[in-house]
Amino acid sequence: MSRRSGILEFAVLGLLREAPMHGYELRKRLNTSLGVFRAFSYGTLYPCLKTLVANGWLIEEPGSAPEEALAASLAGRRAKIVYRLTAAGKEHFEELLSHTGPDAWEDEHFAARFAFFGQTEREVRMRVLEGRRSRLEERLEKMRASLVRTRERLDDYTLELQRHGMESVEREVRWLNELIESERAGRDQRSGPDAPALHDNDSGETGGLPRHGGSTRPDPSDDTTK
Amino acid sequence: MSRRSGILEFAVLGLLREAPMHGYELRKRLNTSLGVFRAFSYGTLYPCLKTLVANGWLIEEPGSAPEEALAASLAGRRAKIVYRLTAAGKEHFEELLSHTGPDAWEDEHFAARFAFFGQTEREVRMRVLEGRRSRLEERLEKMRASLVRTRERLDDYTLELQRHGMESVEREVRWLNELIESERAGRDQRSGPDAPALHDNDSGETGGLPRHGGSTRPDPSDDTTK
DNA sequence: ACACCCATGTAAGGTGTTACATGATTAG
DNA sequence: CTAATCATGTAACACCTTACATGGGTGT
């Protein structure tokens, strides 16, 4: 049950929950569609897939996808492994989704969580958004404090960097406020106590998100390995 | 000459260039004053200092700072090592400052560079700012492309995350534009072809920075070890 | 006396990248 | 037929964190 990287494991399970895929495609999805937040190399991905299989959360299948169905029946082809989530894997992912440890507020971890909000219960979404917000507010506190302590002996550029960092965080807080409010609004106007919202995505409307944003460490990185 | 982490090495040399310090204080400066961009632990810092000393860029001195001057003369005290930049170290740092490799445009690397703009020649500053900008513009290209390719099959949250990431990058581009413009203005209005601007900081005015900002991956992290 | 910050270190381990090695499929 | 892209892997190494170990100084 080796703990293997929170984020990657989480993202892989989440992506495979939507549809089986092979490693190569997974990596692309990680880096482009989903991956505004982080790029992984094959050297990380493939070993990770192995351990997920070892944990029983995935199974490897010979490529039985649409076009390859016939081709696969030929002689010893090079496998082109498709990974599929097992029942245990699904269960594990759902557990990860609801498990709101203090890790979940950190930059990249948060982005990963957010990316799968479509499959997350509203209650948990709220906890994550609010946790993130208070994490950022802590940061602002510290930044302000350190600004006051050190203001006089910093040159213009350092100061500008500080200011700009703070503004960035403040922006994200405002963004979170809007999201939180819109979550609350969604809860009120929709079904009463709790609506599952956890069958399969496609439902089009999740509650109505607001129309502008703040900041979460952008870092797409290349499509190509190098 | 082991290559030891670009960023940490760079930041340490840069901080020590302003004044000698011991490790503990260095770490705090890294994480608060300067450290909007990154936190390092002692487990990283101290070994790094060792190799910098081994490279001849720093020397260790017994704590001969103001208050400790007398105290140090007493029996075998626990050293409290103060690190001071050597001439070779100064030279090396200056070389790093002007060396504009394609690394310099990446998130954290850029932030570190920016933090020491006060000791950087205007010409180099321009190259770094413009390099960073075009790096971000590449990113925007890719994001837009991937948005177009995948728009229909993404749920609202994933979309919101993408949008918000893009907006963040766009903001930083605007910020860079202002900085670049203000650098140009500074060049025009001040001395003709090139002014050194590299004696020692304290000069108060670097050219007049603009008054608002964009985004560079915020990540202060704690002051305390954990 | 005790607690709490200052201060320095080390060993083990986690997490990820690079560079390499291999081969299949598709487009020109 | 050749180049690009798809596809899978591994081994070596870079980088950083955690947890531990140690001890000085200061305040209550």
Side-chain angles (χ1 to χ4, degrees):
Chain A
M1 287 253 178
S2 43
R3 184 76 313 139
R4 274 282 174 201
S5 164
I7 294 176
L8 182 53
E9 173 186 309
F10 180 76
V12 165
L13 293 174
L15 282 177
L16 289 178
R17 192 182 185 274
E18 294 164 7
M21 258 179 277
H22 45 244
Y24 191 86
E25 198 185 341
L26 254 174
R27 197 230 176 203
K28 278 208 304 190
R29 300 277 236 111
L30 242 36
N31 296 341
T32 61
S33 312
L34 251 174
V36 189
F37 56 91
R38 174 104 203 219
F40 290 97
S41 58
Y42 299 120
T44 316
L45 179 58
Y46 284 117
C48 173
L49 286 169
K50 286 269 173 71
T51 72
L52 293 185
V53 168
N55 286 357
W57 296 329
L58 307 181
I59 38 165
E60 302 178 342
E61 291 178 344
S64 55
E67 351 87 42
E68 310 167 51
L70 340 145
S73 61
L74 293 166
R77 310 232 293 94
R78 227 266 239 203
K80 205 190 240 195
I81 302 160
V82 170
Y83 293 91
R84 176 188 302 278
L85 209 58
T86 63
K90 215 167 274 194
E91 210 179 309
H92 179 62
F93 179 64
E94 237 110 287
E95 198 195 308
L96 289 180
L97 272 183
S98 56
H99 177 278
T100 337
D103 284 0
W105 331 124
E106 296 312 315
D107 293 316
E108 305 191 339
H109 222 304
F110 169 74
R113 293 300 300 248
F114 192 90
F116 292 104
F117 263 22
Q119 328 192 17
T120 307
E121 283 165 19
R122 200 190 331 270
E123 216 190 302
V124 178
R125 291 200 300 257
M126 283 298 262
R127 245 181 302 155
V128 172
L129 290 173
E130 279 164 355
R132 173 67 175 170
R133 184 176 54 179
S134 66
R135 177 77 185 74
L136 292 183
E137 260 151 10
E138 269 172 44
R139 267 190 211 180
L140 283 176
E141 274 314 298
K142 272 183 195 142
M143 292 189 207
R144 280 194 253 270
S146 106
L147 252 188
V148 171
R149 276 206 315 278
T150 64
R151 183 146 23 115
E152 52 278 357
R153 56 177 157 126
L154 295 177
D155 64 289
D156 288 0
Y157 286 109
T158 312
L159 228 54
E160 173 64 18
L161 188 56
Q162 295 263 11
R163 197 196 51 64
H164 147 273
M166 273 189 40
E167 206 172 279
S168 221
V169 177
E170 278 161 1
R171 259 181 79 75
E172 188 175 345
V173 169
R174 285 197 293 277
W175 181 63
L176 288 170
N177 282 336
E178 283 174 49
L179 288 171
I180 288 167
E181 203 174 321
S182 123
E183 288 285 349
R184 267 198 249 278
R187 182 196 56 194
D188 294 347
Q189 107 193 54
R190 249 143 89 83
S191 53
D194 75 291
L198 197 46
H199 29 27
D200 247 65
N201 88 347
D202 73 340
S203 45
E205 270 299 306
T206 326
L209 295 167
R211 272 304 151 224
H212 37 291
S215 158
T216 292
R217 191 246 187 141
D219 191 352
S221 205
D222 275 67
D223 199 352
T224 69
T225 310
K226 163 92 197 198
Chain B
M1 289 250 178
S2 42
R3 188 65 322 135
R4 274 282 173 198
S5 166
I7 294 175
L8 182 53
E9 173 185 308
F10 179 76
V12 165
L13 293 174
L15 283 178
L16 288 180
R17 190 182 186 276
E18 295 165 7
M21 256 179 278
H22 46 243
Y24 191 85
E25 197 184 341
L26 254 174
R27 198 233 176 198
K28 278 208 304 190
R29 300 277 234 111
L30 244 36
N31 296 342
T32 61
S33 314
L34 251 175
V36 188
F37 55 92
R38 175 105 200 219
F40 291 97
S41 59
Y42 299 119
T44 316
L45 179 58
Y46 285 117
C48 174
L49 286 170
K50 286 268 173 71
T51 73
L52 293 185
V53 168
N55 286 356
W57 296 329
L58 307 182
I59 39 166
E60 302 179 341
E61 291 178 344
S64 55
E67 351 87 44
E68 311 170 51
L70 341 145
S73 61
L74 292 166
R77 309 233 290 96
R78 229 267 239 197
K80 208 190 235 192
I81 302 161
V82 170
Y83 292 91
R84 177 189 300 279
L85 209 58
T86 64
K90 217 168 268 195
E91 211 179 309
H92 179 61
F93 180 63
E94 237 108 287
E95 199 196 306
L96 289 179
L97 272 183
S98 57
H99 177 281
T100 337
D103 284 0
W105 331 126
E106 296 311 316
D107 293 317
E108 303 190 342
H109 222 306
F110 169 73
R113 293 301 300 247
F114 192 91
F116 292 104
F117 263 21
Q119 328 192 17
T120 308
E121 284 164 20
R122 204 194 322 279
E123 216 190 301
V124 178
R125 291 201 300 257
M126 283 299 262
R127 246 182 300 154
V128 172
L129 290 173
E130 278 164 355
R132 173 67 175 170
R133 183 176 54 180
S134 67
R135 178 74 185 76
L136 292 183
E137 260 149 10
E138 269 173 42
R139 266 189 212 179
L140 283 176
E141 274 314 299
K142 269 182 197 144
M143 291 189 206
R144 280 194 252 271
S146 106
L147 253 188
V148 171
R149 277 206 314 280
T150 63
R151 184 147 20 118
E152 52 278 355
R153 55 177 157 122
L154 294 178
D155 65 288
D156 288 0
Y157 286 108
T158 312
L159 229 54
E160 174 63 18
L161 187 56
Q162 295 262 10
R163 197 196 51 62
H164 146 272
M166 274 189 43
E167 207 173 277
S168 220
V169 176
E170 279 160 0
R171 259 180 79 76
E172 188 175 345
V173 169
R174 285 196 294 277
W175 182 63
L176 288 170
N177 283 336
E178 283 173 48
L179 289 171
I180 288 167
E181 203 174 319
S182 121
E183 287 286 347
R184 268 198 249 280
R187 183 195 55 196
D188 295 347
Q189 110 191 50
R190 247 142 90 82
S191 52
D194 75 290
L198 199 44
H199 28 28
D200 247 67
N201 88 348
D202 75 339
S203 46
E205 268 299 304
T206 326
L209 295 168
R211 272 303 149 227
H212 36 290
S215 156
T216 294
R217 192 250 186 137
D219 191 351
S221 207
D222 274 61
D223 197 354
T224 68
T225 311
K226 157 112 198 198

